[in-house]
Amino acid sequence: MSVITIQCRLVAHEATLRLLWKLMAEKNTPLINELLEQLDKHPNFETWLEKGQVPKDTIKTICNSLEIQERFADQPGRFYASAVTLVKEIYKSWFALQKRRQRQIEGKERWLNMLKSDIELQQESQCNLDVIRAKATEILDSFLTKFSQEKNKQSKTKKAKKTKKNKEIYSNTTLFNGLFDTYDKTEDCLSKCALAYLLKNNCQVSKVDEDPQQYAKNKRKKEIEIERLRNQIKSQKPKGRDITAEKWLVTLEEATKKVPLNEDEAKSWQASFLKANSYMPYPIDYETNTDLDWFTNYIDDETKRVIILLGQIYFLNLALKLRTYNLIKYVYFTMVCSSNRDVNWLNLQSKKDRIFVKFNGLKEEIKNPEFYVCCDSRQLHYFQRFCQDWQIWHDDDETYSSALFILRSARLLWQERKGKGKPWTVHRLILQCSIETRLWTQEETELVRSEKINQPEKTISKMEQEGSLKKNQVTRLKKELTTRRKLNNPFPGRPSKPLYQGKSNILVGVGLGLDKPATVAVVDAANNKVLTYRSVKQLLGDNYNLLNRQRQQQQRLSHERHKAQKQNAPNSSGESELGQYVDRLLADAIVAIAKTYSAGSIVLPKLSDMREIIQSEVQARAEKKIPGYKEGQQNYAKDYLVSVHRWSYGRLIESIKIQAAKIGISIEMGPQPIRDTKHEQARDLALFAYQQR
């Protein structure tokens, strides 16, 4: 991953902010809400649901028909294009969520259809339980033998082509999935019952008689899960943002004047009241980096001295007129010391190298289209590079390609803040910028340029072979030729820095866990040797106390959310940035270790495996703490999860990817094995990734 996102605050005249707020809140957001509503009623909606996305041309056609209406008119062209793109992405994510829920329902129903009690299995197979257990043991032994043989074949033929037979082997990667597939294909009644017996007992032959109450409880639990998913899949489609709270007030008036018809209507009212609505308008996406103009306002020393002198004379005359002794003394002092570099009249020194940005489409709508960039000092160099890239391209856009800008895209949005006053003065205007870190240095830019130039080369050669071209094909050919010509010119102004050269046999395995968020093992995989281990305490060093503070904060917030849920009260209390800060510290330490040992890659576990890893870790702790007492183990596991809480593994992995991309260390993903110690998990994770190459 080489694309990261940074953000800054934009400052402008109040009139500029007012007009921009009205465009985004009173025109663009209602337009997006209307698009979402019309797509919901479209006759082809079910077809789109099966495909998983809405055609962009359909959204654009509806948007064009709405542009002529007075309430949506007079917006910049970029605002309409952003609305179309945003609506497409909203429905794409909603379709993906619906498909995921449907797959979960199908999987749970498949399990529920297989699940039968021991008494039902005996009745169906017409055999006693001992015969079923014997058949299950036979199937399990034969399957384990076959499973181990297939794994050995895979390890011997690492570079074998993935034929259809190999794909079948790869699909049965776990014992559970293999037994379930065999259950679906088996027709023999006794074998089918034996497989069902194995599956419901976690792929083991249990010697303990089944508890009917526990079986009924597990079955009912699965039925409840299916019911909840069915209710979720019937949930309302995307309705947009109610930034004026008009719908909320309508629901409130309806709830106070009449009694709900049924329980579903009462639940819908309650959900509407408890829902945390966003009162900020939808953002504006700028997908093209040339839609933003970057520049600085340089004030030379001579101009600065003139402005200072004029300001001093004005205030001196004012002070003499008002006969204010302190003001006369202060102005006289600044006039005497005007040659001193420390004088900062009207804050001109800080304004000397200010960065400004203009947005295409707003230049005609707004009288003062310049926005002043306020950013963190750690991100200032990125915005300075934006100015440099834009200036080079603007001076000679026929020579250099904007495809090599470090800025890829941008998003304009409002950040909600508490306070009294007009919304454009209370809330902050934020600009989020996606940048490609590989384009920072000259050497990495050359690598990206060579990658990008291959695409127009393929298109040009393919179109030249076709011979006669249509009018639109000729236009595209000219465009591709221009792109290739510009990409042939190296982009100037980039600093030179040698590329990171890591050893391919050195890997850094990062094991994730519950009580220890990250454990590192640096492995020489070629020699099967561990170079060093690092625990989370060693990674954080003097900042280790922040980890305990973060856990205490999680417990407090969890308790507050629990109290709010019991009282049916809204609760939007989120975590502070402490967890994110700890993630950055861990990511910096992990990347620093990788750089110290010249590691070729960092191996991270797949997030899909984290649930199994955490459950296995808690279960192992419970069995060790309370051996032989299952109910006590379950209570201990529950209390332990409440006290420790889960770490934000996705955020930690994202931080590691970002820091590794800045240096040039590649990232590999693999399944984290379940072992006794965290050191073994991190070590085996790295070794497994090396073997899978």
Side-chain angles (χ1 to χ4, degrees):
M1 176 185 175
S2 60
V3 178
I4 64 175
T5 302
I6 62 173
Q7 70 177 29
C8 66
R9 180 189 174 190
L10 297 182
V11 180
H13 295 284
E14 184 178 350
T16 301
L17 296 175
R18 181 179 68 250
L19 182 56
L20 187 60
W21 172 270
K22 289 186 176 181
L23 283 173
M24 295 174 67
E26 299 178 10
K27 288 185 176 293
N28 191 257
T29 298
L31 172 64
I32 294 174
N33 293 341
E34 184 67 23
L35 286 172
L36 292 172
E37 187 175 349
Q38 291 201 15
L39 288 172
D40 180 10
K41 301 174 182 177
H42 200 278
N44 297 333
F45 188 83
E46 294 299 327
T47 306
W48 299 338
L49 181 58
E50 293 178 2
K51 293 182 179 179
Q53 63 177 357
V54 182
K56 194 171 183 177
D57 294 339
T58 304
I59 306 175
K60 194 171 182 179
T61 303
I62 299 175
C63 184
N64 292 337
S65 64
L66 295 174
E67 287 181 21
I68 57 177
Q69 298 184 18
E70 184 179 355
R71 55 178 178 154
F72 305 130
D74 300 327
Q75 295 186 57
R78 170 52 59 189
F79 282 43
Y80 293 116
S82 175
V84 171
T85 304
L86 194 59
V87 169
K88 184 177 184 297
E89 293 300 321
I90 289 173
Y91 264 107
K92 184 179 179 181
S93 61
W94 186 80
F95 287 152
L97 185 61
Q98 293 295 92
K99 280 193 171 183
R100 179 186 173 189
R101 289 169 177 165
Q102 186 61 42
R103 287 195 300 267
Q104 288 177 336
I105 290 174
E106 293 172 357
K108 293 180 186 298
E109 286 181 340
R110 181 188 176 196
W111 169 263
L112 200 60
N113 292 331
M114 179 277 304
L115 188 63
K116 295 180 178 65
S117 66
D118 288 351
I119 298 175
E120 292 173 337
L121 291 176
Q122 293 179 67
Q123 293 174 351
E124 184 176 343
S125 63
Q126 297 182 353
C127 300
N128 60 27
L129 193 59
D130 292 334
V131 176
I132 295 175
R133 286 174 176 170
K135 185 65 176 178
T137 304
E138 179 186 344
I139 293 173
L140 185 62
D141 292 340
S142 63
F143 193 89
L144 287 173
T145 304
K146 181 182 177 182
F147 191 76
S148 60
Q149 290 176 354
E150 291 173 349
K151 287 294 181 182
N152 291 333
K153 289 180 181 179
Q154 291 181 38
S155 60
K156 290 179 181 179
T157 58
K158 292 180 182 178
K159 298 182 180 179
K161 294 182 179 179
K162 289 188 178 181
T163 59
K164 291 183 179 179
K165 293 182 179 180
N166 285 334
K167 287 181 179 179
E168 292 178 359
I169 294 174
Y170 293 144
S171 62
N172 299 333
T173 54
T174 64
L175 180 62
F176 185 86
N177 290 339
L179 290 173
F180 223 132
D181 292 341
T182 307
Y183 174 84
D184 292 336
K185 298 174 184 177
T186 301
E187 297 181 358
D188 180 61
C189 185
L190 179 59
S191 299
K192 209 171 184 68
C193 291
L195 286 165
Y197 181 83
L198 282 171
L199 288 168
K200 76 171 184 175
N201 287 290
N202 198 20
C203 304
Q204 294 177 355
V205 179
S206 177
K207 297 180 181 179
V208 182
D209 292 339
E210 185 179 55
D211 184 1
Q213 293 182 353
Q214 186 64 34
Y215 166 78
K217 181 180 178 181
N218 293 337
K219 185 175 181 179
R220 180 54 186 161
K221 180 181 177 182
K222 197 63 62 176
E223 291 173 348
I224 292 173
E225 291 177 359
I226 294 174
E227 290 175 6
R228 291 184 62 185
L229 285 170
R230 290 193 182 280
N231 292 332
Q232 291 175 5
I233 211 167
K234 293 178 182 178
S235 61
Q236 293 183 348
K237 302 178 182 69
K239 296 296 182 183
R241 295 184 178 180
D242 185 19
I243 61 176
T244 60
E246 182 179 352
K247 295 181 181 178
W248 188 89
L249 292 173
V250 170
T251 306
L252 179 62
E253 184 179 0
E254 186 179 4
T256 53
K257 289 184 178 181
K258 71 175 187 177
V259 179
L261 299 176
N262 48 41
E263 188 178 352
D264 292 337
E265 187 175 21
K267 286 183 178 180
S268 66
W269 289 353
Q270 185 182 31
S272 177
F273 295 143
L274 297 179
K275 181 181 178 182
N277 292 321
S278 175
Y279 298 104
M280 295 295 100
Y282 279 108
I284 304 298
D285 289 334
Y286 287 85
E287 298 178 346
T288 307
N289 51 17
T290 54
D291 283 339
L292 284 76
D293 298 348
W294 301 87
F295 60 94
T296 58
N297 65 329
Y298 177 79
I299 302 178
D300 55 33
D301 294 336
E302 186 64 30
T303 306
K304 178 183 173 182
R305 281 196 294 269
V306 171
I307 296 175
I308 290 175
L309 183 59
L310 291 174
Q312 290 171 342
I313 294 173
Y314 170 78
F315 279 103
L316 181 60
N317 292 333
L318 180 63
L320 291 172
K321 184 177 181 180
L322 297 176
R323 297 181 180 180
T324 306
Y325 175 74
N326 290 333
L327 185 58
I328 296 172
K329 182 179 178 181
Y330 173 75
V331 174
Y332 175 76
F333 175 77
T334 55
M335 291 179 65
V336 172
C337 301
S338 60
S339 59
N340 192 336
R341 294 182 180 179
D342 294 335
V343 175
N344 193 14
W345 191 262
L346 297 178
N347 200 23
L348 287 174
Q349 184 66 27
S350 61
K351 292 183 179 180
K352 179 177 178 180
D353 296 322
R354 280 187 172 181
I355 298 175
F356 288 81
V357 61
K358 291 182 180 180
F359 298 90
N360 288 350
L362 293 179
K363 296 178 182 178
E364 296 79 14
E365 302 287 338
I366 301 176
K367 295 181 180 179
N368 300 303
E370 299 92 353
F371 294 88
Y372 163 48
V373 173
C374 295
C375 66
D376 192 279
S377 59
R378 293 175 297 179
Q379 299 177 345
L380 178 60
H381 59 289
Y382 289 121
F383 293 98
Q384 290 173 343
R385 176 61 62 83
F386 296 165
C387 295
Q388 182 181 353
D389 288 352
W390 184 85
Q391 193 62 48
I392 292 172
W393 174 81
H394 183 264
D395 293 343
D396 196 356
D397 59 346
E398 292 297 324
T399 303
Y400 304 112
S401 174
S402 61
L404 298 178
F405 280 14
I406 190 173
L407 174 66
R408 305 315 306 151
S409 61
R411 169 172 282 192
L412 191 63
L413 55 92
W414 289 90
Q415 184 183 64
E416 187 174 4
R417 291 176 64 84
K418 295 181 179 179
K420 295 183 179 179
K422 300 296 183 181
W424 52 85
T425 59
V426 175
H427 308 306
R428 285 182 175 179
L429 185 63
I430 301 296
L431 179 66
Q432 292 181 345
C433 301
S434 298
I435 61 176
E436 190 166 355
T437 56
R438 291 194 303 164
L439 293 169
W440 184 258
T441 62
Q442 180 181 349
E443 289 76 11
E444 290 182 311
T445 303
E446 286 299 308
L447 293 177
V448 177
R449 188 173 67 89
S450 61
E451 294 174 6
K452 289 182 177 291
I453 205 171
N454 290 331
Q455 184 61 35
E457 287 284 359
K458 292 179 182 179
T459 307
I460 291 170
S461 59
K462 183 179 179 180
M463 296 181 74
E464 287 178 347
Q465 291 174 0
E466 292 181 3
S468 58
L469 301 175
K470 298 180 181 179
K471 185 177 180 180
N472 58 344
Q473 291 178 323
V474 173
T475 304
R476 186 184 176 187
L477 179 60
K478 291 180 180 179
K479 183 179 179 180
E480 296 293 340
L481 288 170
T482 304
T483 302
R484 184 181 66 176
R485 176 177 57 80
K486 292 182 178 181
L487 287 173
N488 282 327
N489 301 319
F491 206 91
R494 303 285 164 86
S496 179
K497 182 181 178 181
L499 295 173
Y500 176 80
Q501 298 292 337
K503 300 176 183 178
S504 60
N505 61 309
I506 305 296
L507 296 91
V508 176
V510 182
L512 304 181
L514 191 59
D515 58 335
K516 299 176 181 178
T519 305
V520 171
V522 183
V523 179
D524 183 358
N527 299 320
N528 199 16
K529 179 182 178 182
V530 178
L531 301 180
T532 187
Y533 289 113
R534 290 289 190 277
S535 65
V536 65
K537 189 172 184 178
Q538 292 171 319
L539 291 172
L540 291 175
D542 296 337
N543 296 312
Y544 182 69
N545 62 316
L546 297 178
L547 186 63
N548 295 327
R549 190 192 300 176
Q550 167 68 2
R551 285 173 174 163
Q552 292 172 2
Q553 184 186 82
Q554 286 179 331
Q555 292 178 11
R556 186 179 69 255
L557 293 175
S558 176
H559 182 61
E560 292 177 359
R561 284 193 293 268
H562 179 66
K563 290 193 301 183
Q565 288 173 356
K566 289 177 66 175
Q567 298 172 2
N568 286 331
N571 188 313
S572 59
S573 59
E575 296 183 13
S576 66
E577 295 184 356
L578 179 59
Q580 185 177 2
Y581 178 63
V582 175
D583 286 340
R584 289 175 181 173
L585 292 175
L586 287 172
D588 290 340
I590 292 169
V591 172
I593 291 172
K595 189 176 180 182
T596 302
Y597 287 89
S598 300
S601 63
I602 298 175
V603 187
L604 301 173
K606 296 178 180 178
L607 281 175
S608 57
D609 302 329
M610 289 310 302
R611 182 171 185 175
E612 183 180 355
I613 293 169
I614 291 170
Q615 289 179 347
S616 301
E617 181 180 342
V618 175
Q619 183 65 27
R621 280 181 169 271
E623 291 176 357
K624 186 177 180 181
K625 190 77 175 178
I626 312 174
Y629 182 37
K630 287 191 174 181
E631 186 176 353
Q633 291 173 4
Q634 292 175 357
N635 294 332
Y636 174 83
K638 183 178 179 180
D639 295 339
Y640 184 77
L641 284 171
V642 170
S643 63
V644 177
H645 290 275
R646 295 187 181 182
W647 197 258
S648 179
Y649 302 105
R651 187 179 61 194
L652 176 58
I653 288 175
E654 197 72 15
S655 300
I656 296 172
K657 287 181 178 180
I658 291 173
Q659 296 302 322
K662 292 179 181 179
I663 297 178
I665 303 176
S666 62
I667 296 294
E668 297 183 61
M669 305 296 292
Q672 179 172 320
I674 301 174
R675 295 289 184 268
D676 292 335
T677 66
K678 295 299 177 186
H679 289 165
E680 292 177 354
Q681 290 182 4
R683 178 200 65 193
D684 294 346
L685 177 64
L687 291 174
F688 181 78
Y690 184 77
Q691 293 171 1
Q692 290 300 309
R693 292 177 182 176

